[in-house]
Amino acid sequence: MKKLSARRRHPLAAVVVLLLALAATGGLYAAFAPAGKAQADETAQSLAIDEGKKLYTVGCASCHGTGGQGTTDGPSLVGVGSAAVDFQVATGRMPAQQPGAQVPKKPVIYTQAEIDQLAAYVASLGAGPITPTDKQVDPAGADVAKGGELFRNNCAQCHNFTGKGGALTKGKYAPDLEGVSPKHIYEAMQTGPQSMPSFPDTTMPEQQKKDIIAYIQTVNGEETASPGGLELGGLGPVSEGLFAWIFGLGALVAIAIWVAAHTAKAKKS
């Protein structure tokens, strides 16, 4: 009995038991993998920033400054975030061809991978709105009716009731939203490009943005019918009234002239 009580476990025995338990449950991998994965993600992000800086120096620095501080030809990019870069560059608005009242949409000159690198570099200059994920912009299950209400209250003043766009002051305009991807609509609401106000998640939550996207896609969808026949740009009673006056009243005047001319000929004969 004295010999048994005098026995003691080896100091490393507890460590061995713990390692065996971790290995059996997969915990050994989990204990060490996150640090390695985080380091790999950090390295990939650093490489993206470096590549993005090279692209920025060639295509953007002449207007926005070598460090994104802005110049007389372009605003500061510090704090605009990756969402603004993705929207402006992925729609072809940037790099701009020439200064003007508003930079128009045009063919894209960068690949999506290059756009992501540019966005990573600009995001490193200061915190700002982040490029949304596919889940964030997916309108599946959204409330279209609620989206219509939100759109009419916040967007229709410029984009009109169905998102067909419209003229603004001093040569600016609200673009047509038909065919615009959900991601770019979401980013526009996040960042407020050009004359548009921004609607961050603190002002307009993610679900409300999805509702608006669902409404825009619904009213501009191929299966959406126009109960009045011709859409006339979706501008409402003003355009419809103008159409009625020009073509409807014009047709009545033409018919009246035709009837009067033929009546006069009939009397003469």
Side-chain angles (χ1 to χ4, degrees):
M1 294 294 292
K2 289 182 180 179
K3 288 183 179 180
L4 289 173
S5 60
R7 277 184 194 173
R8 293 183 180 179
R9 292 183 179 179
H10 192 278
L12 295 178
V15 177
V16 172
V17 173
L18 179 60
L19 289 176
L20 288 173
L22 286 171
T25 61
L28 184 61
Y29 173 80
F32 293 100
K37 185 177 184 301
Q39 187 175 4
D41 290 344
E42 186 177 348
T43 301
Q45 184 69 7
S46 298
L47 290 173
I49 292 172
D50 291 340
E51 292 301 316
K53 186 175 182 179
K54 294 175 185 177
L55 293 168
Y56 176 89
T57 302
V58 174
C60 315
S62 60
C63 292
H64 295 285
T66 55
Q69 73 277 11
T71 68
T72 55
D73 294 324
S76 171
L77 298 182
V78 178
V80 301
S82 58
V85 177
D86 187 81
F87 173 82
Q88 295 287 355
V89 181
T91 60
R93 290 176 168 86
M94 290 289 157
Q97 290 179 335
Q98 60 185 13
Q102 184 160 325
V103 180
K105 182 179 179 180
K106 58 185 186 298
V108 184
I109 63 173
Y110 291 101
T111 65
Q112 187 58 52
E114 291 173 329
I115 294 170
D116 293 340
Q117 292 169 348
L118 269 172
Y121 170 69
V122 172
S124 71
L125 301 177
I130 301 172
T131 305
T133 62
D134 292 340
K135 183 179 179 181
Q136 285 179 289
V137 303
D138 185 6
D143 189 335
V144 177
K146 182 64 176 177
E149 180 183 347
L150 290 166
F151 187 88
R152 288 188 293 273
N153 289 336
N154 297 282
C155 317
Q157 298 91 330
C158 296
H159 291 282
N160 96 35
F161 298 100
T162 57
K164 297 297 184 182
L168 301 176
T169 59
K170 299 180 179 179
K172 299 177 182 179
Y173 57 90
D176 185 357
L177 300 180
E178 184 175 1
V180 179
S181 72
K183 182 174 78 164
H184 293 154
I185 295 175
Y186 194 103
E187 289 170 340
M189 288 187 280
Q190 274 187 308
T191 61
Q194 303 187 101
S195 298
M196 180 175 169
S198 61
F199 298 92
D201 289 343
T202 52
T203 302
M204 182 178 285
E206 180 180 311
Q207 184 57 49
Q208 292 185 355
K209 290 186 175 72
K210 286 186 176 184
D211 294 341
I212 289 176
I213 291 170
Y215 169 75
I216 293 171
Q217 289 187 327
T218 299
V219 296
N220 289 294
E222 295 180 356
E223 298 179 358
T224 302
S226 177
L230 295 175
E231 292 183 359
L232 301 176
L235 297 175
V238 174
S239 63
E240 293 169 4
L242 183 64
F243 182 88
W245 274 97
I246 293 176
F247 294 96
L249 188 60
L252 291 175
V253 170
I255 292 172
I257 293 173
W258 183 86
V259 170
H262 282 70
T263 301
K265 288 181 180 179
K267 287 182 178 180
K268 289 180 180 179
S269 61

